[in-house]
């Protein structure tokens, strides 16, 4: 196995099976967290990929299997737009999931990325993380599960190649200027991502096949990608890949989960 071997890679030929397995395991993980420490702290990803996964999670049987009153929803990153803007990750999550499950507003922590006072907004979100999440032994807020998509340039959340966020280890939330987008983004930083008990990376488009193979060490150049540094210290990293996104992973390295496979 390549250097990045601590990741569990789940590859699915059938999209619906992938989505249902994702929901089944997310519910199991959430209920286990609630049993262990009374709540399930979940950070949602933005982008196009998670939509079908969120919609299915909001349907029977999964919506009835999670104690939503003990779930706390945060975001991995957000665009600097109002919450009703079509580019907002919060809007996407609200439409596809949050408005369809019995969650109180107090349990949803939108990233205030539209606040022009970036320092105030980042401090406020850090305070919410510290208030709502358990802290790990380093005093870093620890999610039970962080969901991430991955960009074709290897970015995760809004930690883009060459940006300040790739170097930030002294903060938990920050505003990051992304020159290639000509835009600011608000994002969790590596210390928080890597303090999580579980980090799941979702990639379903064929366009992600090269970045997935590089990030998993099957093609060269993975170690310069932002995603390379997502290594939960005490947690488990799982890649959820469609067969299209896994197309450049050598067949002998591809294992397909059987039945109720553990993640
Ligand atoms: C965002 C996301 C970002 C996303 C990747 C993949 O705000 O856009 O948080 O990190 O996960 O860009 O996006 P797609 O799922 O649309 O390919």
């Amino acid at each position: 196995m390549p250097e990045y071997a601590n990741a569990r890679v789940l590859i699915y030929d059938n999209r619906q099976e992938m989505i249902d397995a994702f929901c089944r395991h997310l519910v199991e993980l959430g209920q286990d967290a609630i049993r262990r420490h009374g709540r399930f702290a979940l950070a949602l990803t933005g982008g196009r990929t998670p939509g079908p996964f969120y919609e299915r999670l909001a349907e029977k049987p999964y919506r009835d299997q999670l104690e939503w009153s003990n779930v706390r929803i945060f975001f991995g990153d957000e665009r600097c737009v109002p919450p009703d803007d079509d580019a907002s990750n919060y809007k996407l999550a609200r439409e596809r999931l949050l408005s369809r499950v019995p969650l109180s507003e107090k349990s949803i922590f939108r990233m205030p990325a539209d606040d022009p006072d970036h320092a105030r907004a980042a401090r406020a979100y850090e305070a919410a993380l510290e208030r709502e999440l358990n802290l790990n032994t380093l005093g870093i807020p620890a999610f039970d599960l962080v969901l991430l998509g991955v960009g074709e340039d290897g970015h995760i959340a809004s930690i883009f190649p060459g940006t300040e966020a790739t170097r930030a280890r002294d903060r938990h939330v920050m505003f990051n200027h992304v020159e290639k987008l000509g835009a600011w983004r608000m994002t969790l930083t590596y210390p928080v991502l890597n303090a999580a008990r579980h980090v799941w990376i979702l990639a379903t488009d064929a366009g992600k096949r090269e970045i997935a193979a590089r990030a998993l060490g099957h093609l060269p150049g993975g170690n310069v990608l932002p995603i390379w540094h997502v290594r939960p210290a005490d947690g488990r990293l799982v890649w959820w890949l469609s067969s299209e996104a896994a197309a450049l992973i050598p067949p002998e390295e591809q294992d397909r989960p059987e039945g109720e496979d553990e993640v």
Side-chain angles (χ1 to χ4, degrees):
M1 279 291 274
E3 182 197 342
Y4 203 47
N6 66 339
R8 178 95 165 81
V9 181
L10 304 176
I11 298 171
Y12 291 84
D13 297 316
N14 177 291
R15 192 64 52 85
Q16 197 52 54
E17 276 179 27
M18 178 183 187
I19 291 173
D20 277 287
F22 170 93
C23 292
R24 191 169 61 248
H25 285 298
L26 186 144
V27 165
E28 285 167 11
L29 194 157
Q31 291 300 81
D32 176 57
I34 292 166
R35 275 191 298 275
R36 277 187 300 101
H37 62 88
R39 67 178 51 173
F40 176 32
L42 169 61
L44 298 179
T45 180
R48 296 181 321 280
T49 301
F53 294 82
Y54 294 164
E55 283 175 348
R56 185 73 185 101
L57 187 62
E59 295 170 348
K60 290 183 179 300
Y62 308 111
R63 77 183 304 278
D64 300 333
Q65 294 172 343
L66 199 52
E67 291 169 43
W68 294 97
S69 59
N70 291 320
V71 176
R72 301 292 180 270
I73 298 284
F74 288 82
F75 290 81
D77 72 323
E78 185 57 278
R79 291 83 180 278
C80 295
V81 295
D84 59 355
D85 189 295
D86 284 344
S88 163
N89 290 334
Y90 168 81
K91 182 173 189 243
L92 175 131
R94 176 160 287 283
E95 288 175 348
R96 312 290 279 271
L97 173 62
L98 306 180
S99 61
R100 304 178 180 191
V101 292
L103 260 176
S104 76
E105 286 306 311
K106 325 195 285 299
S107 301
I108 302 171
F109 298 85
R110 181 181 76 86
M111 270 194 168
D114 51 333
D115 182 344
D117 184 334
H118 287 178
R120 177 179 63 192
R123 275 199 312 273
Y125 211 67
E126 285 182 337
L129 290 173
E130 286 161 20
R131 192 174 59 245
E132 298 294 331
L133 274 59
N134 289 334
L135 305 184
N136 72 2
T137 51
L138 298 174
I140 302 173
F143 280 100
D144 296 296
L145 175 60
V146 171
L147 299 179
L148 294 173
V150 58
E152 294 185 18
D153 59 0
H155 79 261
I156 33 87
S158 282
I159 305 177
F160 284 77
T163 63
E164 188 188 347
T166 60
R167 298 179 288 276
R169 298 297 187 277
D170 58 343
R171 283 164 283 179
H172 297 159
V173 180
M174 69 182 284
F175 280 75
N176 188 34
H177 187 258
V178 185
E179 196 167 334
K180 70 186 282 190
L181 302 178
W184 285 89
R185 291 279 191 92
M186 188 173 180
T187 188
L188 299 182
T189 59
Y190 283 124
V192 174
L193 300 180
N194 287 330
R197 286 179 56 82
H198 298 268
V199 177
W200 289 0
I201 297 167
L202 291 175
T204 55
D205 292 353
K208 303 293 175 71
R209 60 177 178 247
E210 184 190 347
I211 209 68
R214 281 177 63 190
L216 287 165
H218 299 294
L219 288 177
N223 60 341
V224 298
L225 302 172
I227 196 167
W228 188 264
H229 302 285
V230 174
R231 297 166 176 265
D234 301 321
R236 290 176 59 82
L237 177 62
V238 178
W239 282 74
W240 294 80
L241 293 176
S242 66
S243 43
E244 296 87 348
L248 296 182
I249 294 174
E252 66 276 12
E253 299 283 357
Q254 296 196 19
D255 67 336
R256 280 161 171 72
E258 302 295 332
E260 297 298 300
D261 238 8
E262 175 63 26
V263 293

